[in-house]
């Protein structure tokens, strides 16, 4: 990473206690609330739903607009499908000092190494209870607007929904700092496919996929081939007549029957779609299709945040953000937790939150605005140099542990454990080689032992 040489600067004045608003009580907001309070700040967490857990609160209902394009639709926050199991092993996935060990799984829980989504929600609820975070959260309270005052503090306008779903109360408050933790897996991104506007079949985004039964005997095309696409295609193949997965990065040797399935094929990109329901792939294959499911990712979306264009979202680049967290011109009073993707999220949330909490109190110093902007600029150049589009700006797949350790160094914390990195790499390799079975068969038991030993030491 370009500016790892920017060492933390010691400050002379005592740490200040700030009045801080956190938007969202998912894993990021909970980590932020804990670290901010630990640093001595006064924290209010705004959460529009009635519970903590964010993404991990499964909602069997989908949105009225299956593609998620209608701006007036009633938004369903979570993108979980019923069968979802974690794609990271639990030892690796959990917070650094609050292990997500199978030993913690309560009676009736799901002790599997890659548990179902309900187990993750229980873990987050336990985390909130253990660190006494519930009292900080204002449930059913949506932040509608956040704007900086002339004095540099933030005006936060929130609306509490009525218990019976009716209109509630509006409230305006002023905070020294605001931490955005609203998640980024709710606003669908749709691929641009020729002829799609006139195509006669049904279309939906993976955000609105829940269960496979409605796809009985149908011909389904899945656009995309990353995590959700891999899971959903296999879920649906149990019921559908045929499943055709389109991976735009593939060109050779296609279409290819998927091992272990007699009704699933892998294709290159979709070339065109037609009024009569036909879908034509670039590999030359064409078929009449009932449903297209877009597993094409999500957009960063901050409808409540007004910064007079100081922070913008441009082709999914949120910026400028120093270290994906602080907006240089608004630092440190505005911070984002959880922007990077292709990472192990919970430990990263924890380290980002520690850093933000320390910077807000003045215990840890930021570089100058110019230095921060220079750092952002050099990161953009690195992104460009590897040929990535803007929308990959926050993809930290190549440097996530370096990034985590940079944050840890700023905060004076130990680096991320070696076993966690090795486990991440081993899982990635196993998943690529065995997409059907990686959650149940692995060969890194020695790393589990190391993890459990560390967890034991934490308790002592
Ligand atoms: P969220 O969990 O989305 O929480 C955001 C919260 O903000 C929500 O509670 C929401 O209600 C609230 N909110 C939003 N706007 C407002 C507002 N205006 N006012 C008040 N409240 C608001 N990660 C893993 O580690 N392992 C996995 O196996 C894994 N699998 C995943 C599978 C899927 C399908 C998806 C979508 C994600 C997966 N992730 C996984 C990533 C997951 O998103 C993160 O683990 C993490 O839960 C994100 O936490 P968050 O707090 O950033 O966002």
């Amino acid at each position: 990473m370009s500016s790892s040489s920017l060492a933390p600067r010691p400050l002379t004045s005592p740490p200040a206690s700030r009045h801080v608003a956190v938007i969202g009580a998912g894993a990021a907001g909970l980590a932020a609330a804990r670290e901010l309070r630990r640093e001595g700040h006064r924290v209010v967490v705004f959460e529009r739903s009635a519970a903590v857990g964010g993404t991990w609160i499964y909602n069997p209902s989908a949105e009225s607009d299956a593609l998620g394009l209608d701006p007036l639709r009633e938004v369903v926050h979570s993108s979980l499908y019923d069968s979802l199991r974690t794609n990271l092993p639990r030892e690796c996935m959990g917070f650094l000092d609050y292990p997500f060990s199978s030993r913690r799984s309560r009676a009736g829980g799901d002790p599997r190494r890659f548990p179902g989504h309900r187990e993750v929600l229980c873990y987050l609820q336990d985390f909130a209870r253990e660190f006494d975070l519930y009292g900080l959260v204002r449930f059913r309270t949506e932040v509608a607007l956040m704007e900086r005052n002339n004095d540099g503090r933030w005006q936060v306008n929130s609306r509490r929904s009525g218990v019976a779903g009716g209109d509630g109360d509006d409230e305006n408050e002023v905070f020294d700092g605001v931490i955005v933790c609203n998640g980024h897996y709710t606003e669908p991104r749709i691929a641009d496919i020729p002829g799609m506007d006139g195509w006669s079949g049904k279309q939906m985004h993976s955000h609105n996929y829940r269960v496979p039964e409605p796809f009985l005997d149908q011909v389904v095309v899945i656009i995309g081939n990353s995590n959700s696409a891999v899971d959903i295609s296999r879920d649906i193949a149990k019921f559908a007549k045929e499943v055709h997965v389109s991976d735009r990065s593939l060109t050779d040797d296609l279409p290819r029957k998927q091992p272990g399935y007699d009704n699933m094929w892998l294709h290159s990109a979709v070339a065109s779609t037609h009024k009569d329901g036909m879908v034509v792939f670039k590999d030359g294959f064409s078929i009449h299709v009932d449903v297209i499911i877009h597993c094409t990712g999500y957009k960063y979306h901050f409808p409540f945040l007004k910064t007079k264009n100081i922070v913008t979202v441009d082709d999914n680049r949120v910026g400028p953000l120093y270290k994906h967290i602080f907006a240089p011109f608004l630092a440190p009073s505005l911070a984002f937790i959880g922007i990077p993707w292709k990472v192990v999220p919970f430990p990263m949330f924890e380290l980002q939150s520690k850093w933000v909490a320390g910077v807000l109190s003045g215990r840890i110093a930021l570089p100058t605005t110019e230095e921060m902007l220079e750092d952002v600029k050099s990161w953009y150049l690195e992104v460009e140099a590897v040929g990535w589009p803007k929308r990959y700006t926050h993809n930290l797949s190549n440097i996530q542990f370096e990034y985590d350790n940079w944050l840890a160094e700023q905060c004076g914390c130990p680096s991320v454990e070696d076993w966690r990195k090795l486990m991440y790499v081993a899982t990635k390799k196993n998943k690529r080689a065995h997409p059907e079975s990686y959650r149940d068969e692995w060969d890194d038991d020695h790393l589990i032992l190391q993890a459990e030993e560390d967890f034991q030491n934490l308790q002592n």
Side-chain angles (χ1 to χ4, degrees):
M1 254 190 334
S2 44
S3 71
S4 49
S5 57
L6 291 173
R9 298 174 188 172
L11 292 182
T12 43
S13 43
S17 167
R18 311 273 181 208
H19 190 210
V20 186
V22 173
I23 321 306
L30 292 174
R34 178 186 177 209
E35 297 303 335
L36 287 163
R37 191 177 53 191
R38 192 144 61 170
E39 186 75 18
H41 300 298
R42 289 156 289 132
V43 185
V44 176
V45 182
F46 293 89
E47 172 50 59
R48 70 179 167 196
S49 81
V52 303
T55 285
W56 296 98
I57 304 173
Y58 175 68
N59 187 340
S61 310
E63 294 175 352
S64 49
D65 172 11
L67 267 181
L69 295 178
D70 178 0
L72 300 176
R73 73 196 189 280
E74 187 153 338
V75 172
V76 169
H77 184 78
S78 178
S79 302
L80 293 189
Y81 28 95
D82 191 41
S83 65
L84 185 134
R85 289 172 67 186
T86 65
N87 51 35
L88 291 170
R90 58 192 305 153
E91 307 86 18
C92 177
M93 180 175 157
F95 291 112
L96 294 164
D97 67 351
Y98 188 71
F100 188 24
S101 158
S102 50
R103 291 194 194 157
R104 191 185 286 282
S105 189
R106 43 175 116 193
D110 178 354
R112 290 175 297 178
R113 191 177 185 210
F114 294 78
H117 55 82
R118 290 170 184 84
E119 178 80 359
V120 184
L121 180 61
C122 287
Y123 169 72
L124 290 175
Q125 290 168 340
D126 286 349
F127 178 86
R129 213 169 291 120
E130 172 86 16
F131 298 109
D132 203 13
L133 303 175
Y134 276 97
L136 303 178
V137 186
R138 288 195 204 153
F139 289 107
R140 293 200 180 89
T141 307
E142 175 160 11
V143 169
L145 184 77
M146 245 168 55
E147 208 163 16
R148 206 159 82 123
N149 288 340
N150 291 336
D151 65 1
R153 296 194 299 160
W154 288 80
Q155 189 78 33
V156 175
N157 174 230
S158 63
R159 164 159 284 215
R160 193 173 143 73
S161 54
V163 175
D167 284 348
D169 307 324
D170 272 344
E171 199 165 346
N172 262 308
E173 286 156 281
V174 175
F175 290 87
D176 302 318
V178 287
I179 317 291
V180 179
C181 306
N182 68 326
H184 49 88
Y185 295 105
T186 296
E187 196 67 18
R189 239 186 107 243
I190 304 290
D192 205 4
I193 294 172
M196 219 53 187
D197 286 346
W199 188 68
S200 53
K202 183 181 170 194
Q203 290 187 65
M204 62 187 287
H205 188 276
S206 56
H207 175 61
N208 289 307
Y209 173 76
R210 298 292 180 271
V211 289
E213 288 81 356
F215 300 90
L216 183 70
D217 294 335
Q218 305 215 320
V219 176
V220 181
V221 164
I222 307 262
I223 311 276
N225 196 17
S226 61
N227 285 336
S228 295
V230 169
D231 280 354
I232 292 172
S233 56
R234 281 150 180 83
D235 215 19
I236 284 183
K238 292 178 218 141
F239 290 84
K241 187 170 161 201
E242 293 180 18
V243 177
H244 299 268
V245 178
S246 162
D247 180 341
R248 67 178 170 176
S249 69
L250 298 177
T251 47
D252 304 330
D253 189 23
L254 297 165
R256 203 186 297 156
K257 202 161 203 179
Q258 290 298 81
Y261 293 86
D262 59 10
N263 65 342
M264 181 153 65
W265 291 263
L266 189 61
H267 298 267
S268 55
V270 170
S272 60
T273 53
H274 301 267
K275 283 198 178 85
D276 59 0
M278 292 299 285
V279 170
V280 181
F281 295 87
K282 284 191 175 162
D283 57 27
F285 184 86
S286 62
I287 190 164
H288 190 276
V289 172
D290 299 302
V291 188
I292 293 180
I293 306 182
H294 297 254
C295 296
T296 41
Y298 294 87
K299 295 190 225 168
Y300 293 97
H301 191 52
F302 311 103
F304 49 84
L305 179 60
K306 304 292 171 227
T307 65
K308 301 193 174 103
N309 278 337
I310 293 177
V311 180
T312 59
V313 183
D314 175 14
D315 188 22
N316 248 10
R317 168 181 282 176
V318 188
L321 288 187
Y322 176 59
K323 303 297 180 199
H324 312 271
I325 296 177
F326 285 113
F329 290 113
L330 300 171
S333 69
L334 171 66
F336 295 76
I337 303 294
I339 295 286
W341 53 283
K342 285 234 172 181
V343 296
V344 182
F346 294 7
M348 182 195 74
F349 296 164
E350 211 175 339
L351 290 166
Q352 290 185 321
S353 300
K354 281 182 198 295
W355 187 46
V356 169
V359 168
L360 274 173
S361 70
R363 193 173 51 79
I364 302 170
L366 284 177
T368 63
T369 306
E370 290 69 32
E371 284 170 323
M372 288 193 271
L373 285 170
E374 202 46 50
D375 187 75
V376 176
K377 211 163 108 192
S378 61
W379 176 244
Y380 289 175
L381 288 175
E382 284 184 46
V383 168
E384 235 174 79
V386 291
W388 280 358
K390 266 187 196 168
R391 64 176 186 280
Y392 278 36
T393 298
H394 307 294
N395 174 344
L396 296 197
S397 52
N398 298 333
I399 58 148
Q400 66 158 319
F401 294 110
E402 207 182 326
Y403 174 78
D404 285 349
N405 289 341
W406 183 89
L407 290 168
E409 188 193 333
Q410 301 303 300
C411 305
C413 301
S415 301
V416 173
E417 312 91 324
D418 281 341
W419 59 258
R420 205 180 288 260
K421 289 184 251 176
L422 295 171
M423 202 179 265
Y424 178 80
V425 173
T427 301
K428 207 169 146 189
K429 210 168 129 204
N430 193 18
K431 182 155 96 188
R432 207 177 300 127
H434 308 287
E436 329 296 329
S437 60
Y438 78 94
R439 291 183 172 100
D440 297 304
E441 290 166 31
W442 52 80
D443 55 12
D444 59 347
D445 279 326
H446 61 293
L447 297 175
I448 303 181
L449 285 178
Q450 285 177 32
E452 289 297 343
E453 213 175 283
D454 269 6
F455 296 162
Q456 201 58 44
N457 289 339
L458 277 176
Q459 279 172 7
N460 297 336

